[in-house]
Amino acid sequence: MLQHVFQTSGKDFKLLEIINLNKSFKKGDYTLNVLNNFCLKVDDGERVAIVGPSGAGKSTLLQIIGGLDKPDSGSVVFNGDSVFDKKGRQLDRYRNSAVGFVFQFHYLLEDFTALENVMIPALIAGENRGDAKKRAEDLLARVGLSDRSDHFPTELSGGEQQRTSIARALMNNPKMILADEPTGSLDRKNSEEVFSMFDLMKQDGITVLIVTHDESIADACDRKIEMEKS
Ligand SMILES: Nc1ncnc2c1ncn2[C@@H]1O[C@H](COP(=O)(O)OP(=O)(O)OP(=O)(O)O)[C@@H](O)[C@H]1O
Ligand SMILES: [Mg+2]
């Protein structure tokens, strides 16, 4: 099992520090400035909602925090280390193990069962198959899907698919979950079920950044950050 060693020194320690992040997209003759000197500090174990109108840059921000996209300037410091100073395998390890992603659409692999989908991040990280299977079974049990583990994604409801993708995001014991409208494509009942999974993360002390248009979800978080369209 992968272990993370996290700094615990000092009262002011923040798990995540985002400093003066700038990101623009060039399209033909014009430049779209999406993030302008964006700053944010997040405590270890905190659950932060990110809200704002369509096009405000919420997904762009999460992609950058997760190391999937690069800013034009500024830094993302996670557990004391600058994400964009990481290279090669270090950056891969950050993306695959330190953080877990949950998206609006689950992106489960259609040819694999729920159990296999949950195991994949651990297999990518080089964990042995037996250990990965055991942990994937435990995680599916935690999200209430033990009896669906051999179902393929098309044989799962929307809420079940999303709960499977949450189990997958938790597979490598991430310290932080980045969730981009995880309930965006679900009805109220499924949405509540999926959000209750984030309560499990809270109990485990996992830091969560959640982009949402759902006010009740945003209100249930420790803090709400409003992004504006520039
Ligand atoms: N690769 C890209 N090239 C050009 N423009 C882009 C690119 N990605 C995003 N944008 C633009 O950047 C802006 C911010 O996009 P982003 O997806 O971060 O918004 P968002 O806040 O997540 O919106 P929504 O709530 O609709 O998901 C949008 O206006 C979008 O059109
Ligand atoms: Mg978005």
Side-chain angles (χ1 to χ4, degrees), residues 55 57-60 104 180-181 211 213:
K58 305 178 298 296
S59 297
T60 304
Q104 176 172 359
D180 195 352
E181 298 190 51
V211 169
H213 289 286

Side-chain angles (χ1 to χ4, degrees), residues 179-210:
D180 195 352
E181 298 190 51
T183 62
S185 58
L186 302 176
D187 62 21
R188 171 62 43 197
K189 183 177 166 289
N190 276 306
S191 182
E192 280 167 9
E193 264 176 33
V194 163
F195 188 61
S196 70
M197 302 299 128
F198 287 85
D199 290 332
L200 293 179
M201 296 178 202
K202 178 100 188 148
Q203 286 162 22
D204 286 353
I206 298 174
T207 303
V208 174
L209 264 63
I210 181 167

Side-chain angles (χ1 to χ4, degrees), residues 90-110:
Q90 248 195 337
L91 185 58
D92 288 345
R93 206 174 306 131
Y94 172 74
R95 290 184 188 130
N96 188 43
S97 301
V99 297
F101 281 95
V102 182
F103 300 97
Q104 176 172 359
F105 302 103
H106 50 77
Y107 298 122
L108 296 171
L109 300 174
E110 300 294 329

Side-chain angles (χ1 to χ4, degrees), residues 23-27 30 32-35 51-63 69 104 180-181 211 213 227 229:
K23 177 72 179 177
S24 57
F25 293 107
K26 284 197 171 49
K27 205 73 189 148
Y30 73 93
L32 187 68
N33 294 311
V34 178
L35 299 175
V51 301
S54 182
K58 305 178 298 296
S59 297
T60 304
L61 176 67
L62 282 202
Q63 301 269 327
D69 198 357
Q104 176 172 359
D180 195 352
E181 298 190 51
V211 169
H213 289 286
M227 291 183 71
K229 209 168 166 176

Side-chain angles (χ1 to χ4, degrees), residues 20-217:
N20 290 335
L21 217 55
N22 287 289
K23 177 72 179 177
S24 57
F25 293 107
K26 284 197 171 49
K27 205 73 189 148
D29 284 347
Y30 73 93
T31 303
L32 187 68
N33 294 311
V34 178
L35 299 175
N36 298 300
N37 290 318
F38 184 89
C39 297
L40 176 67
K41 290 182 180 185
V42 179
D43 279 331
D44 196 3
E46 200 177 7
R47 188 159 64 180
V48 178
I50 299 170
V51 301
S54 182
K58 305 178 298 296
S59 297
T60 304
L61 176 67
L62 282 202
Q63 301 269 327
I64 292 173
I65 295 172
L68 299 179
D69 198 357
K70 280 196 163 184
D72 301 332
S73 63
S75 51
V76 173
V77 179
F78 180 78
N79 195 39
D81 292 329
S82 171
V83 170
F84 296 103
D85 288 342
K86 293 180 194 290
K87 300 227 159 47
R89 296 182 98 179
Q90 248 195 337
L91 185 58
D92 288 345
R93 206 174 306 131
Y94 172 74
R95 290 184 188 130
N96 188 43
S97 301
V99 297
F101 281 95
V102 182
F103 300 97
Q104 176 172 359
F105 302 103
H106 50 77
Y107 298 122
L108 296 171
L109 300 174
E110 300 294 329
D111 294 337
F112 292 87
T113 64
L115 183 71
E116 289 164 344
N117 267 284
V118 176
M119 286 169 67
I120 286 170
L123 300 179
I124 290 173
E127 197 175 329
N128 100 33
R129 208 178 165 84
D131 290 346
K133 184 162 182 272
K134 168 104 193 42
R135 180 155 168 75
E137 283 167 351
D138 289 348
L139 282 165
L140 279 175
R142 286 200 77 186
V143 300
L145 289 176
S146 288
D147 53 352
R148 297 285 189 278
S149 61
D150 61 345
H151 283 223
F152 290 93
T154 50
E155 299 167 344
L156 296 168
S157 74
E160 288 168 349
Q161 289 170 354
Q162 195 58 307
R163 274 145 65 199
T164 305
S165 79
I166 288 171
R168 177 184 57 185
L170 293 170
M171 187 63 194
N172 285 346
N173 289 317
K175 188 66 190 149
M176 178 170 71
I177 290 282
L178 302 172
D180 195 352
E181 298 190 51
T183 62
S185 58
L186 302 176
D187 62 21
R188 171 62 43 197
K189 183 177 166 289
N190 276 306
S191 182
E192 280 167 9
E193 264 176 33
V194 163
F195 188 61
S196 70
M197 302 299 128
F198 287 85
D199 290 332
L200 293 179
M201 296 178 202
K202 178 100 188 148
Q203 286 162 22
D204 286 353
I206 298 174
T207 303
V208 174
L209 264 63
I210 181 167
V211 169
T212 185
H213 289 286
D214 183 327
E215 277 184 30
S216 60
I217 287 179

